[in-house]
Each structure stands twice: as C-alpha cells, then as structure tokens.
Amino acid sequence: LQEASQLALDQLGASACGQTAVVTAAIISGVISRDDLQTVDYSMCTLRTRAETAPLPQYLLSRSDAGCTGEEVAASFNAFVAGLPPRGTPPRAEFIPFSSIDGPLSSFLRRNFEQKNILVATMNLQLIGNDAWHHQLMYGVDLQAGTVYMMNPLESCHITWIERFVSTPSVLLIRRSDVLSRVDRVGGDDSVFSLPDWRRFNVREQIDAMRADESIEFVVIPAAYVGGFTVIRQSGSPLAMTDCGDSC
C-alpha cells in the first residue's frame, strides 16, 4: 500500500479518470516518472467533458461518452507511450471486454497479475449510486480474500462487485434534476433522439414521462462505455502486479 500510494495520482480533472489511469500506468511501467508530470504531453489521451451549459439534447449526448471508453484508454496509452523518448521495449495496451473473457474473473486476474500486466477496469459505478462509469487501475489482488486493490482512489473492492461493475449493459442513468434543469433551454438539437440507439431506448418519450410524473427519478440513455479491462503488457515495472496475499 505504501508503494502504491507513492505511485498513485489524484484524478487529473473532470471526467479524466481514463487519462489519470493512462498516466498512472505509464509511471508504474517505468516509461515516465512522477518528475515528468509537468512536462509530458497529455493531449494524446482522449478526454471529452460534459456539456454542462448546453441544452438538454446536447447535454445528454455529451453524457453518453464523457471522458473516454475502455477502448480509448488502451489507444490513449499506446499513443502516449509512442510520443515519449524510447526506453527499451515499450509496453502495449489492449482492451478486453468482460463478455469475451473465458472462465472465472478470478482466473483472468490471477493470470494477468502473474504475468505482471497492468489492468485498468472500465466499470459502471452507477450500481452503487455514483453518477458515472469509471476507469480504475488495479495494482494488486488477494485471491484468497477475493479482494482487488485499486488506485484513483486508493481503495479495495471485493471481486464479486468488480464483476457486477464490468458486466452491466452499456447504459447511463441521468438524474431527474439534471434533466429537468435543462429541458427548457432553447437551441436544443432534437435530432439526437432519432439516432437508432436513442430511439430504441425511447429517450424522448422517457423525458416526456418524467415531466408528467414526479416519481420518475432517471432517464436511461445509451452509453458508449463497455465494461471490461485494459491490459497493459510490460517487461517490468517498479510495482509488481501480483497476487498480494496479505501484503497490500
């Protein structure tokens, strides 16, 4: 935990959990150090922000893909590393959707930590009341206890919850207050509601129903995010990504 706290970063900005995971993984894999943080170019990392002041349609569209997806975490890491001075064989990242993982999640984690790979989970934390999906770097696992250790923030989580977070559909629940505070803003582009996924979710009809019914708490919209793991394969790192046992 002490070594992890020395390598961990606070989130770099709003919706920047993916960017934070990319830079943290670069530190752990040894391609940059914390001393490089003031000079490295973060522009290689995909980062989209919420259109907080926009009319409702544009706001909802921005919410559907704010930050970045798991695929973009992997692509951002590869682009970020490619833009740095070479330091031996560079690590490479790829995104693996949870749906394509064979066997138990515990076996997938064990295999990757034994290979000293770095993992970044893409998870739907709305299951526990958070307002977004989240990308979180995993730095260790205690398979006996079923505990996974993560950064941003530094915390632990039982593997059964990790599996729930990465196995949800690609949806986002928008709170009533976020919808109704924007529904009467002028200049909205309603064509977003005609997009295939948005029509399938009947988003326009959900909004109308919410305006008429005070008991409706959320509007459900399609999200770009897919639950899974960015796997960063490396030749070595300052923090061994292994089964922690009782040592994390």
Side-chain angles (χ1 to χ4, degrees):
L1 178 59
Q2 181 178 0
E3 190 173 9
S5 65
Q6 293 172 348
L7 294 168
L9 298 176
D10 294 330
Q11 185 153 313
L12 297 173
S15 301
C17 55
Q19 184 184 72
T20 304
V22 166
V23 177
T24 305
I27 293 173
I28 290 173
S29 61
V31 296
I32 64 170
S33 70
R34 291 187 70 99
D35 294 337
D36 298 321
L37 291 178
Q38 300 302 318
T39 58
V40 293
D41 180 10
Y42 298 150
S43 66
M44 300 289 187
C45 303
T46 300
L47 174 59
R48 291 178 294 269
T49 57
R50 300 181 184 184
E52 298 284 3
T53 62
L56 182 61
Q58 288 94 314
Y59 169 76
L60 293 178
L61 189 61
S62 77
R63 287 294 307 273
S64 70
D65 65 356
C68 63
T69 65
E71 295 91 337
E72 289 168 333
V73 169
S76 293
F77 180 85
N78 292 333
F80 181 75
V81 171
L84 298 171
R87 298 185 183 181
T89 303
R92 292 289 297 174
E94 67 169 325
F95 180 72
I96 300 177
F98 174 73
S99 60
S100 69
I101 294 175
D102 293 326
L105 180 57
S106 59
S107 299
F108 173 83
L109 295 178
R110 177 191 292 112
R111 181 168 63 253
N112 277 281
F113 282 124
E114 286 177 350
Q115 294 171 358
K116 302 194 184 305
N117 296 333
I118 299 170
L119 297 179
V120 178
T122 297
M123 305 178 289
N124 186 355
L125 298 191
Q126 291 199 312
L127 291 180
I128 54 172
N130 289 19
D131 194 31
W133 286 63
H134 187 51
H135 306 289
Q136 205 160 354
L137 188 144
M138 299 175 163
Y139 71 87
V141 60
D142 180 347
L143 289 173
Q144 275 195 323
T147 303
V148 178
Y149 298 88
M150 300 179 289
M151 298 179 179
N152 187 31
L154 278 172
E155 62 181 359
S156 61
C157 182
H158 198 274
I159 192 172
T160 56
W161 275 104
I162 299 295
E163 185 159 351
R164 292 173 189 170
F165 295 149
V166 298
S167 61
T168 73
S170 297
V171 300
L172 195 67
L173 276 62
I174 308 299
R175 295 170 178 168
R176 180 181 183 87
S177 59
D178 288 331
V179 173
L180 296 187
S181 63
R182 296 170 172 84
V183 71
D184 292 323
R185 290 181 180 173
V186 299
D189 180 4
D190 288 353
S191 64
V192 61
F193 301 132
S194 298
L195 296 172
D197 283 344
W198 294 69
R199 290 176 60 188
R200 181 166 57 89
F201 278 78
N202 295 316
V203 176
R204 189 198 302 270
E205 290 77 8
Q206 288 187 67
I207 294 168
D208 292 341
M210 176 179 279
R211 300 186 76 174
D213 186 345
E214 294 183 357
S215 69
I216 298 176
E217 298 182 3
F218 299 101
V219 165
V220 183
I221 66 172
Y225 319 103
V226 173
F229 301 88
T230 297
V231 178
I232 300 170
R233 296 180 172 85
Q234 53 174 353
S235 56
S237 74
L239 179 62
M241 313 297 285
T242 60
D243 185 342
C244 291
D246 296 326
S247 63
C248 288

